[in-house]
Amino acid sequence: MHEPTSSFDTVVIGAGPVGLACALEIQRRGFTVCVVDKGALVNSLVGYPNQMEFFSTPELLEIGGYPMPTNHYKPLREDALDYYRRVAQAEKLTLRLYERVVRLEGEANHYEVVTTKGRIATRFVVVATGFFDVPVKMNVPGEDLPNVSHYYKEPYTHVDQRVVVVGAKNSSAKAALQLLRAGAHVTLVVRSAELSPSVKYWIRPDLENRIKEGRIKAYFNSTIQEIRPTEVNLATPEGLVTLPTDFTYALTGYRPDYSLLAALGITTQDDAARTPTHDQETFETNRSGVYIAGTVCGGLNTSRWFIENGRYHAAVIAAHLAGEAAPATPQIIQPVQLSK
């Protein structure tokens, strides 16, 4: 049980890879740091599909100078989960998990982060909340039914089931292929005329060939109109189509938690991406002493920042807090090897 009030120089909101990178860089400069997250450590990665392979090689996912040990050319979800846990433990980061941030009170150097478990006094706040926790809704009847999900984990519960996958990008493509090979009857629904150009070059031909074979039925230029317990209505170029369906994966993307940003006093710009207001050089927001890092910096443009480039925000923010010049290149501090 946490005390009603505790005090740290900096509170980092979000215990994902970028949040952890921020915490360790700031802590290495002599500040006390607390990392708060409404879920588990690296909660977004916990929500990724089992055995998911990252598109990046290990060195592009590393933080704090710690090498990522893996037997794979491209790490799996499980490799990353273990790696970030070990980094957090090696750096002795203070973690407050399963604790939701409600709002931010006070002013620079005298803030209080109000959570569901108490208050944390702090001088500075870094928001590294990513975007994976808030799905982009289709806003159609039946979207909240128990046989509809915006998150895909694994295919094995769908043997001989009729499954609709909505979306045109990598997550939808991989889910459709895995479901097919696990014995599901798969239909892919794509709003545009073709698969997204962002689908990886080794995934695209596999999916396109399965569609040509007829093993995956695909509806392009089509959208979900209504979901019912045993069927789905589609609007297609040929008119309304009703599909018998057991389960629907609406893999339609994700967005930052704008309600949290508003509760923290962070405004957004009047642009198409609803970009959170921040200094492009320091990542300080419109609220003095409050910074953003990682994917959340791009607003709805969630493809601008990833772990690979967002992790470098950590050194920039830490340098600004310490009154140092912004690093021209990423600062690498060689630590001891991670213990098993």
Side-chain angles (χ1 to χ4, degrees), residues 300-311:
L300 296 177
N301 185 5
T302 54
S303 62
R304 180 179 179 185
W305 302 107
F306 301 92
I307 298 173
E308 295 92 319
N309 54 10
R311 61 190 173 144

Side-chain angles (χ1 to χ4, degrees), residues 39-118:
L41 185 69
V42 287
N43 195 62
S44 293
L45 274 62
V46 172
Y48 285 178
N50 295 344
Q51 297 293 306
M52 186 208 78
E53 182 182 70
F54 282 87
F55 294 135
S56 301
T57 51
E59 67 274 9
L60 297 178
L61 302 176
E62 293 168 354
I63 61 175
Y66 290 99
M68 177 183 283
T70 177
N71 294 324
H72 306 96
Y73 171 63
K74 294 180 180 179
L76 301 181
R77 162 188 177 269
E78 288 71 15
D79 296 326
L81 287 171
D82 186 56
Y83 168 76
Y84 292 117
R85 184 264 304 172
R86 290 162 62 191
V87 170
Q89 290 178 335
E91 292 285 325
K92 297 181 171 59
L93 296 178
T94 298
L95 304 174
R96 291 175 59 155
L97 304 174
Y98 299 100
E99 182 170 358
R100 184 181 293 271
V101 171
V102 177
R103 62 184 179 277
L104 180 63
E105 297 179 354
E107 56 188 22
N109 287 307
H110 302 285
Y111 282 124
E112 278 198 349
V113 177
V114 181
T115 77
T116 51
K117 295 185 179 180

Side-chain angles (χ1 to χ4, degrees), residues 68-245:
M68 177 183 283
T70 177
N71 294 324
H72 306 96
Y73 171 63
K74 294 180 180 179
L76 301 181
R77 162 188 177 269
E78 288 71 15
D79 296 326
L81 287 171
D82 186 56
Y83 168 76
Y84 292 117
R85 184 264 304 172
R86 290 162 62 191
V87 170
Q89 290 178 335
E91 292 285 325
K92 297 181 171 59
L93 296 178
T94 298
L95 304 174
R96 291 175 59 155
L97 304 174
Y98 299 100
E99 182 170 358
R100 184 181 293 271
V101 171
V102 177
R103 62 184 179 277
L104 180 63
E105 297 179 354
E107 56 188 22
N109 287 307
H110 302 285
Y111 282 124
E112 278 198 349
V113 177
V114 181
T115 77
T116 51
K117 295 185 179 180
R119 292 172 173 263
I120 309 171
T122 188
R123 296 170 57 198
F124 309 106
V125 176
V126 179
V127 183
T129 48
F131 68 102
F132 192 62
D133 292 333
V134 183
V136 175
K137 295 293 188 74
M138 298 181 294
N139 296 316
V140 299
E143 190 168 5
D144 295 326
L145 286 171
N147 64 334
V148 180
S149 177
H150 290 274
Y151 297 92
Y152 169 78
K153 289 292 289 184
E154 60 181 11
Y156 305 110
T157 58
H158 299 299
V159 175
D160 203 33
Q161 299 292 291
R162 300 161 299 185
V163 182
V164 171
V165 178
V166 185
K169 295 186 178 181
N170 286 293
S171 57
S172 304
K174 293 180 74 173
L177 289 167
Q178 284 191 2
L179 286 160
L180 171 69
R181 291 177 175 130
H185 308 287
V186 183
T187 300
L188 184 66
V189 178
V190 179
R191 181 175 56 185
S192 56
E194 59 182 8
L195 297 174
S196 168
S198 67
V199 175
K200 298 301 181 182
Y201 67 88
W202 63 91
I203 298 174
R204 176 183 288 274
D206 189 1
L207 180 57
E208 289 177 339
N209 286 331
R210 303 297 77 75
I211 292 172
K212 288 178 182 177
E213 291 173 350
R215 296 177 65 195
I216 292 177
K217 175 67 174 177
Y219 289 89
F220 292 95
N221 293 312
S222 301
T223 57
I224 299 283
Q225 295 296 292
E226 183 179 358
I227 305 172
R228 294 184 292 278
T230 60
E231 57 188 14
V232 168
N233 283 351
L234 303 183
T236 76
E238 288 73 38
L240 182 68
V241 173
T242 298
L243 300 176
T245 306

Side-chain angles (χ1 to χ4, degrees), residues 7-12 19 22-28 30-35 92-95 122:
S7 180
F8 295 87
D9 293 323
T10 308
V11 170
V12 176
C22 289
L24 68 86
E25 290 288 353
I26 293 168
Q27 184 169 275
R28 286 173 177 178
F31 295 90
T32 58
V33 183
C34 175
V35 183
K92 297 181 171 59
L93 296 178
T94 298
L95 304 174
T122 188

